[in-house]
Each structure stands twice: as C-alpha cells, then as structure tokens.
Amino acid sequence: MSFTLTTWNINSVRLRIDQVIRFLVENEPDVLCLQETKCPNDHFPSAAFKTLGYQYIALNGQKGYHGVATISRIPFTETQALRFCDKDDSRHMTVELGGTGTPGGSRGVRIHNFYVPAGGDAPDPEINPRFAHKLAFLDELVEWHEATRPADRPSVLVGDLNIAPYETDVWNHKALLGVVSHTPVETERLEAFRRMTGYVDAVRALRPEPEKVFTWWSYRSPDWSAADKGRRLDHVWLAPDIAPALETAAIARDVRGWERPSDHAPVTVRLSL
C-alpha cells in the first residue's frame, strides 16, 4: 500500500489554519506532522482536521511557543510525548499507527515528530543559553535512541531539526559556517546521530549532493524566491528496514509563496509499504 507523510513547521497553526486546510485538500497526505504550532492543546483547531477525515490527533502544545502535533487518517495504537533537557517546552511527539492492515503490517509504524531548538544567534554555548540548550537537546537525542532503539523497528523521524547538515543544504556554505543552523558543531553532531542510528535521509536519498535543496526562506528577504537564500532545516529520516520503500520525496516550495505563509515549506514522502 502507498503511504504519504508530510512534515511542516507551520509557525502558528491557528493563524495559518486556512493554509493547512488548503494543503490537505490539495495533497491528501495520510499523516501530517506539524511543528511550532504555538497552541495549547485545548485550543487546537481539531474540528477543522476532523471535517477533512483526519480523526486521529496527538498534541503536545503550549501557549505562544513551540508545540508539535501529529494528525492522521490512520488510527493510533500509542502516543507518547517526552520532555527533553528538563524543560516543558513541547518539542516531541511519537505515535504508532495501527497494526494489521495499516502501514508496517502487524508491527505498525512509529512516527517521531521533533522540533529541535533554533539556538538563537550566537553560536557559542558559553554566552548563549539558547545555543547551549540546542546542543544539549542533540545530546539527549543520542540518549533517547540508546534507551529506546527506535530505528530498530519500522519508524520515521521527522520535523524541524533546525540544522542544515550538508554544504548544499544552504545557499552559501562558506558564508553560513558561523551562522546558527549550519555551524560545524551542529552539523557534525546531527550527522553523527543519524549515522549511529542508521536512519536514511529521505530527501537526500533521492536528491543527493551537489544539488541545492532548501525548505526554509527567511521572512527578512523582500523577494525570497528570487534571492533563494534558503536552508534545508526540515527533515524526514527513515529507519533502515523501511528505507527501501521510499518512492518520492517532495518539497512544496510553492506553499512558501501563499498568502501569509510560514517561512517553512512542507516536505512530503511517499512510501510503498
């Protein structure tokens, strides 16, 4: 069976619910993983999703900041939201899709939805607590993997990881080496984690370097599309046992040009499971 999943940093789900609905109507993914929802759970616009047939919603939100949500047309058999770095800042949600007759068969598929801290401006943990938090979060990802071995079963890790790991994941590698999201301490740490776990970077599996690939364009650019000074901050990683099922990986760049858009574009993969 064909299974599609989208990850998207929406930068306020209530502010951009019309854009989300439009995307779902036009693309119909089976699962939508949102980050930066900026919405407490009891104010999440669940009715809008259920009207479109997305009856299963797992939330980890908070007022004004952060927040993740996983919305699905396929039932969940399990949900789990974890705390990282001893902070209640709503950056993780895991769901397991239903068993027999659903993607992954009797074992189901686990989807790990992450929103990694952005890290602020100065790439120095000694003077910038936000960057120190980001590095600590990455270290705890390693601990999380060692404790749960999530890649040892059918699983997908998605989200705004706030790191562009490869040279062609940014518009200018040399210019951004000292800019948070592309500093060596971040990129090397993220890649070490991915290699350790065995996860396959879905977009780069189908669009390898040296092709430039971006998912984020700053609001500060007066003509973001023409300037094209982007970064690839949003990722879909596949556990080794389901990576061969990857059929397509698409970045909906046009969505960045919609009215009142998020600064991130949705990333969608299709698997044959």
Side-chain angles (χ1 to χ4, degrees):
M1 64 181 295
S2 181
F3 167 70
T4 55
L5 180 151
T6 296
T7 182
W8 189 5
N9 178 318
I10 193 58
N11 193 10
S12 179
V13 65
R14 288 181 292 179
L15 181 64
R16 296 186 170 83
I17 188 61
D18 290 344
Q19 289 93 326
V20 178
I21 291 172
R22 176 181 172 184
F23 180 84
L24 291 176
V25 169
E26 293 181 1
N27 295 275
E28 299 184 326
D30 294 303
V31 176
L32 173 65
C33 294
L34 297 175
Q35 302 87 38
E36 205 172 355
T37 55
K38 296 182 176 179
C39 180
N41 293 349
D42 58 352
H43 286 77
F44 191 84
S46 298
F49 294 97
K50 292 182 178 181
T51 298
L52 296 177
Y54 293 86
Q55 301 294 320
Y56 308 98
I57 301 174
L59 303 173
N60 184 10
Q62 64 185 99
K63 182 179 180 180
Y65 297 93
H66 317 129
V68 294
T70 301
I71 299 103
S72 176
R73 298 194 290 196
I74 301 168
F76 303 145
T77 58
E78 180 183 338
T79 65
Q80 182 184 43
L82 296 178
R83 298 170 75 243
F84 284 78
C85 302
D86 293 323
K87 294 180 180 289
D88 292 318
D89 56 357
S90 301
R91 295 184 178 275
H92 166 265
M93 173 58 68
T94 288
V95 304
E96 181 168 335
L97 304 182
T100 303
T102 60
S106 61
R107 297 180 68 194
V109 171
R110 288 196 168 200
I111 300 172
H112 309 287
N113 183 2
F114 280 97
Y115 178 38
V116 172
D121 295 324
D124 184 345
E126 297 297 324
I127 65 172
N128 179 4
R130 296 175 64 186
F131 193 67
H133 177 208
K134 183 175 192 174
L135 298 182
F137 195 100
L138 294 173
D139 288 342
E140 286 200 13
L141 276 179
V142 174
E143 297 175 11
W144 166 74
H145 174 267
E146 291 177 341
T148 61
R149 310 299 298 180
D152 290 350
R153 58 178 299 170
S155 63
V156 185
L157 188 154
V158 307
D160 177 5
L161 304 186
N162 262 314
I163 297 173
Y166 305 138
E167 291 189 11
T168 53
D169 286 339
V170 295
W171 66 276
N172 187 318
H173 168 62
K174 290 184 179 179
L176 271 69
L177 275 172
V179 175
V180 172
S181 78
H182 193 60
T183 66
V185 68
E186 299 168 85
T187 61
E188 292 169 6
R189 203 166 294 200
L190 185 68
E191 269 297 278
F193 170 67
R194 190 188 62 77
R195 288 193 298 267
M196 178 192 76
T197 61
Y199 275 113
V200 174
D201 183 332
V203 170
R204 281 305 185 186
L206 298 181
R207 300 176 64 178
E209 291 194 287
E211 180 182 359
K212 287 184 178 289
V213 183
F214 309 142
T215 66
W216 173 91
W217 296 263
S218 174
Y219 287 131
R220 297 176 183 176
S221 177
D223 190 344
W224 68 272
S225 186
D228 203 25
K229 293 183 176 182
R231 306 177 202 176
R232 188 173 72 104
L233 305 180
D234 306 271
H235 300 267
V236 179
W237 294 354
L238 307 175
D241 59 346
I242 64 170
L246 176 64
E247 294 182 339
T248 62
I251 299 167
R253 179 188 173 111
D254 63 304
V255 175
R256 177 62 177 83
W258 289 358
E259 185 177 358
R260 300 180 72 189
S262 169
D263 45 359
H264 295 253
V267 181
T268 300
V269 299
R270 183 171 72 238
L271 307 175
S272 178
L273 295 173

